[in-house]
Structures are given as structure tokens and as C-alpha cells.
Amino acid sequence: AVFILTADFIKNRRPANFPPGPWQLPIVGNIFTVNHNKAHENLMQLAARYGDVFSLRMGQTWVVVLNTFEILKEGLVTQGDSVIDRPYLPLQEDVSHGRDMIFSNGHLWKQQRRFALSTLRYFGFGKKSLEPVILDEFTHCAKVFRSYEGNPFNPHLIINNAISNVICSLVFGHRFEYNDEKFTRLMKLFDEAVHIQGSIWEQLYNSFPLLMRRLPGPHQRVLHIWGETKKFIGEEVKVHKLNIDSSNPRDYIDFFLNEIQMNKGQSDSTFDEQTLIMCVLDLFGAGTETTSTTLRWAFLYMTKYPEIQEKVQAEIDRVIGQSRQPTMEDRANLPYTSAVIHEIQRMGNIVPLSLPHMTNKELQLGGYIVPKGVMVIPNLTSVLFDKTEWETPFTFNPGHFLNKEGKFVKRAAFIPFSAGKRMCLGENLARMELFLFFTSFMQHFTFSMPAGVKPVMDYRSGVTLAPHHYEICVTSR
Ligand code: HEM
């Protein structure tokens, strides 16, 4: 034991000029310094104590946390070429075997990110041609909401299904009915997985993979669920292969299958079926949980602040009326509604620590040196709730995005999608979905809590910070 502790002490001394941080336990480092259910809050407290750039050790892995707008801008944008990589995360690796886009590096990441962006752009990612897909999905969703008129119901799975259907239309070329048993089961499993991930189990798995791979526990369930999801995607790919017309690709999968054919024999090609399945899983996973969670926060905020809900509805009634659906062109004429959506995203803070990055070169930041190969966490919370950036950082206030004349104003510190070369690939799609869905909901429904129930604004942590399950009432307008 003395030998192990001495070796640990020597191996894990803080390098010279490395960012400061709290005292560490042998072997496990700071794993227990941070409560994984409220990691972003703990990291804010540590930043107040150790500064805007500080370090922790998670097991045997050094982590540097970046705080404040200036530091994040310097780290992710100005010196962004030094922090493009993602760290090696054993749980992720055991799901993807290095073939996904979100957690890959180098050539695979570049080729797949470029391909995903150009293919999704082709299908109107962030442009007009996606509008009808989203608006059609709203119509399906509204029908289900209306069936509960006045009676409390949990909107979670319905919204997940609706948002997921937009991604499904892009990648699979079709949507799923809300009563499709197979898909509903998948959505439920998915919700289970995203809340085990982001917990202490993921941290333990990533810190002690050799041990955790052998131990039973919720982490095994996560592996099982992602395995099931891959099988589901694999079946879609099989059907696509049977009826593909390569001169007329219908969706992301068809485009990818074409790339596999065209790149056959090229040694640097990353187009193969395993990568296809993993990249679809990425889009499906990243594209469903995030936007769906934001909309579930939106409903809660509207019940908590009925006067804000009324103001949004009045603006929509004035600009759009009740006889047509909203379009993206309406956004410019709906400054208050846009401000409310931005404030929901800021307060919802659904990806509070972004995704982890890793230095691929030495990074000099805030007077410290971070060598190559160190995990970097962009603390988006430190920017979205910064006292020096927002007038009332902890209070819901659409005024953060409005000037004195009531015009919408962009705020540089609004960075829920992160910044730099790794920033969210789906930002345009997410913004479009949020605008069209939220505006449509406000146009057609008034949201309230069931009699005698107050909205719970506390979060449930997982892959995203999500609201706890809740029931809501809708009244048609
Ligand atoms: C990455 C936020 C919606 C796909 C990210 C990151 C954040 C984020 C913070 C990490 C960026 C970084 O590493 O610095 C959000 C939020 C969303 C949203 C708040 C909705 C409100 C979407 C949607 C898609 C998507 C709809 C689907 C197309 C991705 C992908 C990445 C990513 C593929 C990884 C990018 C890479 O590693 O190069 N997102 N996202 N996201 N997001 Fe989103």
C-alpha cells in the first residue's frame, strides 16, 4: 500500500505552471470533491475559490475547467486550434469503438462533421425546406395535446417523440407514429440511459474502466440500451440498402451508403457501416434530448410566469393571428417571443459544462500552461449566469434580450451551444425547432399546472439538466 500511495503521489504531482485546484485524495483525486448531480454548481464554487482557470484530478485524469466569457472565448475560439480534441472516455469508447463523430478526433471527426453538415444542409438544415417537416410534426403533437384538454398529463414522451421525428425524417426519411410500440419503447430506454449517463456511474466507469467493466450496476444498463439503439438503427440501414436508388438519395443514410460505395478502396475513408450507425446514433441522441428538454423547460416557465405567457400570446396573435402557422420569417417580427425563447435556453442551461474537450497542443491560458493531452471542461454555466454579463442572472427575465425600445438584442454571452470548431453541429436546426414549436404551442394552447400544484424548477441531472417529470394542463385557444 505504501508503494502504491508513493507512486500515486509522484505520478500525480501538479505539473509546473499548471492551474491551481483543491487538495486531492490518493488514487481517486477529486472524484468526491464534486457532487455529480450538481457538478456545474460545485465547479462555480471552486472557480470562486481557485480562479477562472483551475484544475481537478478525476481518478488518474487531470481536468482543467475554464470559466467566464473571456476565458472561454480565448480558450475555445482564439486558441481554439489547441483544444479541438475530445478526451478518451472508456464508456463512450465501449459504445462506439471509436467510430462516432461527437467523441472522435482527427481525420474521422473532420470527415464526418463535414459530411453531416453538408448532407443536413442539403435537406434544408436551418433553411426553409425543413419548415414543413417541423410544422407537420407540430400538428401531430398538437392533436395528442388536445386529446388531454384540461386534464393533467406528462408531456415528456410526446415531446421526445415529436422532436425525435424531425431527426428521423432527416436520417431515416420517415417519422414514427406516437403509438408505435417499438419506437415508444426505444424512447423510454433512451430516457433511462441519458439519466444514468452524466451520473457518478459514468464518472466511475471512465475513471476505473477495468474494474467497472466487470462490476454489475446501472452502467451495464447504459451499454445494453445503446446496444439496442444501434440494433434499431442497423435495421433501418438494412432496409435502406434493399431499396436505395443511388441516383436519388432520400436521406442521410442513403447519402452515407453512397459515400461507402464511392470511397471503396480509399485507405483514408472513414465511411463504413459501423461509422454510419454510430453517426446516426449521434444525431439521434444529440438532436432529441437537447431540444426536447428545452421545450419541457419552456412549458414550466410559462406556467410559472403566466403574465409572460400572455405577453407572448398577444404578440403572436398580433403578428401571425390564428389562421396560419408561423414561419421562420416571422421571427424578426416577434422580438418578445424570441427573447423569451433565449431566456428559456439561458435559464434552462441544459448542457451546463458543454462536452469535454482535450488539448491537442500546449495551451497557455490565464497565466497557466496546460500541456497537450489534458481534459478541458468549458463551464458554460459560468457565462450564462455571470453577474457581470446579465442584469438579473438567476431570475427569468426576457429583458436580457431586449433593448429599451423592445427590439431583440443578441448577447455575446449567450453560448448554450458552446463556441469554436467543436460547437454544436445542430445549432441551426435546434433554433428552428425551438422557434417553430414554441410559437406554435403558444399560438394554440395556454399552459398551466394542475390545480393546487406549483411548478418545480429544480433540475434532474443526466446528459442534460432536465426538469423533473411533471404533469401539465393545456387549454386550447
Ligand atoms: C455538440 C448544445 C441541439 C448535434 C454540442 C455541444 C453543446 C451542444 C454545448 C458541445 C460543443 C463543444 O464541445 O464545445 C446543444 C443544445 C441544443 C443542441 C443546447 C438544443 C437546444 C442539437 C441538435 C443536434 C445536435 C438538434 C442534431 C443535429 C450536436 C453534435 C455535436 C453537438 C453532432 C458534436 C459536435 C462535434 O463534436 O463536432 N451541442 N445542442 N445538437 N451537438 Fe448540440
Side-chain angles (χ1 to χ4, degrees):
V2 173
F3 174 74
I4 292 176
L5 289 179
T6 312
D8 180 74
F9 177 75
I10 293 169
K11 177 172 173 266
N12 287 318
R13 267 181 308 185
R14 260 197 183 82
N17 278 337
F18 199 64
W23 183 83
Q24 299 152 5
L25 287 169
I27 317 291
V28 293
N30 296 110
I31 280 194
F32 301 109
T33 310
V34 178
N35 172 349
H36 291 271
N37 289 326
K38 40 172 95 172
H40 64 294
E41 289 187 25
N42 288 171
L43 296 190
M44 293 287 281
Q45 288 152 1
L46 290 170
R49 185 141 176 216
Y50 295 99
D52 295 340
V53 185
F54 69 88
S55 65
L56 295 167
R57 181 162 59 80
M58 293 300 177
Q60 302 294 300
T61 307
W62 280 107
V63 177
V64 168
V65 185
L66 310 186
N67 303 273
T68 73
F69 179 68
E70 287 311 320
I71 290 288
L72 259 78
K73 197 169 128 204
E74 174 70 21
L76 296 183
V77 182
T78 314
Q79 296 194 54
D81 282 344
S82 307
V83 285
I84 295 179
D85 280 358
R86 299 264 184 236
Y88 168 75
L89 298 170
L91 182 60
Q92 188 58 37
E93 182 64 24
D94 288 354
V95 175
S96 72
H97 305 287
R99 305 307 297 175
D100 80 326
M101 180 219 317
I102 299 184
F103 285 93
S104 66
N105 293 325
H107 179 59
L108 191 147
W109 167 69
K110 253 191 212 148
Q111 196 167 43
Q112 292 305 330
R113 183 167 167 122
R114 202 180 308 133
F115 172 75
L117 272 173
S118 68
T119 311
L120 296 176
R121 239 178 245 140
Y122 175 85
F123 287 112
F125 202 37
K127 297 228 186 74
K128 240 187 146 132
S129 56
L130 254 185
E131 250 180 45
V133 174
I134 298 171
L135 292 173
D136 177 56
E137 198 53 51
F138 172 76
T139 309
H140 286 280
C141 189
K143 214 182 275 169
V144 183
F145 270 39
R146 233 169 251 127
S147 72
Y148 290 101
E149 183 83 36
N151 295 313
F153 69 102
N154 182 343
H156 187 153
L157 282 180
I158 308 165
I159 288 294
N160 261 22
N161 204 328
I163 295 299
S164 182
N165 266 343
V166 177
I167 292 284
C168 289
S169 305
L170 286 166
V171 294
F172 299 147
H174 65 91
R175 58 183 294 280
F176 292 89
E177 288 301 335
Y178 295 7
N179 56 6
D180 184 302
E181 268 177 37
K182 229 168 134 193
F183 196 65
T184 308
R185 183 175 160 270
L186 193 73
M187 289 280 104
K188 283 187 185 151
L189 288 176
F190 187 79
D191 185 51
E192 193 186 336
V194 294
H195 284 97
I196 299 172
Q197 253 175 285
S199 72
I200 183 76
W201 291 101
E202 181 180 24
Q203 189 61 58
L204 288 171
Y205 197 103
N206 286 338
S207 300
F208 307 104
L210 294 179
L211 176 68
M212 295 302 283
R213 277 184 190 121
R214 285 174 182 75
L215 289 183
H219 52 287
Q220 301 292 356
R221 184 84 186 135
V222 169
L223 292 171
H224 170 76
I225 291 173
W226 294 133
E228 291 270 305
T229 316
K230 282 197 286 183
K231 257 192 239 154
F232 184 90
I233 298 169
E235 281 163 25
E236 286 280 343
V237 172
K238 221 189 262 167
V239 176
H240 274 68
K241 277 165 69 179
L242 285 177
N243 53 26
I244 185 172
D245 166 6
S246 33
S247 56
N248 190 18
R250 298 156 293 185
D251 48 40
Y252 177 88
I253 292 182
D254 275 359
F255 269 99
F256 203 108
L257 290 171
N258 277 352
E259 286 294 328
I260 295 179
Q261 287 306 323
M262 288 187 303
N263 287 280
K264 249 189 188 148
Q266 294 201 16
S267 56
D268 67 343
S269 166
T270 61
F271 292 97
D272 54 55
E273 257 182 55
Q274 209 192 340
T275 308
L276 166 58
I277 289 174
M278 279 314 306
C279 288
V280 170
L281 182 61
D282 276 353
L283 294 174
F284 192 65
T288 298
E289 177 62 14
T290 46
T291 314
S292 156
T293 301
T294 310
L295 281 172
R296 284 183 288 120
W297 279 122
F299 300 157
L300 270 187
Y301 277 110
M302 291 305 95
T303 65
K304 187 165 165 63
Y305 301 106
E307 68 289 358
I308 294 180
Q309 176 168 218
E310 269 173 37
K311 258 178 108 170
V312 170
Q313 288 170 330
E315 189 182 59
I316 293 169
D317 289 351
R318 202 169 56 243
V319 175
I320 305 175
Q322 284 285 339
S323 58
R324 67 167 177 91
Q325 289 194 288
T327 71
M328 288 312 290
E329 273 155 24
D330 292 319
R331 189 159 55 175
N333 300 319
L334 293 168
Y336 190 74
T337 306
S338 297
V340 168
I341 296 172
H342 280 70
E343 186 65 354
I344 289 164
Q345 281 205 267
R346 187 188 73 79
M347 286 289 284
N349 186 26
I350 64 161
V351 196
L353 301 172
S354 187
L355 290 178
H357 288 231
M358 186 176 76
T359 46
N360 45 299
K361 287 183 207 159
E362 184 182 277
L363 174 72
Q364 295 192 15
L365 196 58
Y368 303 108
I369 295 178
V370 185
K372 179 179 167 177
V374 173
M375 192 192 292
V376 171
I377 297 198
N379 186 358
L380 302 184
T381 311
S382 70
V383 185
L384 294 173
F385 292 85
D386 189 336
K387 285 197 283 292
T388 64
E389 301 281 353
W390 309 97
E391 294 70 42
T392 59
F394 295 98
T395 306
F396 190 86
N397 174 8
H400 285 141
F401 297 93
L402 294 168
N403 66 12
K404 284 200 186 86
E405 290 80 49
K407 291 220 168 78
F408 181 80
V409 279
K410 277 190 184 165
R411 300 289 301 262
F414 178 74
I415 55 162
F417 298 99
S418 191
K421 293 203 166 126
R422 275 280 182 171
M423 80 177 284
C424 178
L425 176 140
E427 177 180 359
N428 283 346
L429 173 63
R431 282 173 176 271
M432 197 170 168
E433 287 177 317
L434 288 176
F435 177 76
L436 292 174
F437 268 101
F438 181 73
T439 309
S440 302
F441 275 124
M442 290 293 104
Q443 185 185 30
H444 291 288
F445 298 102
T446 298
F447 289 79
S448 59
M449 294 310 284
V453 180
K454 281 211 171 106
V456 175
M457 306 312 285
D458 196 15
Y459 55 80
R460 184 168 74 121
S461 70
V463 166
T464 58
L465 290 189
H468 288 275
H469 279 286
Y470 62 80
E471 291 203 321
I472 205 157
C473 293
V474 292
T475 317
S476 294
R477 303 186 59 224

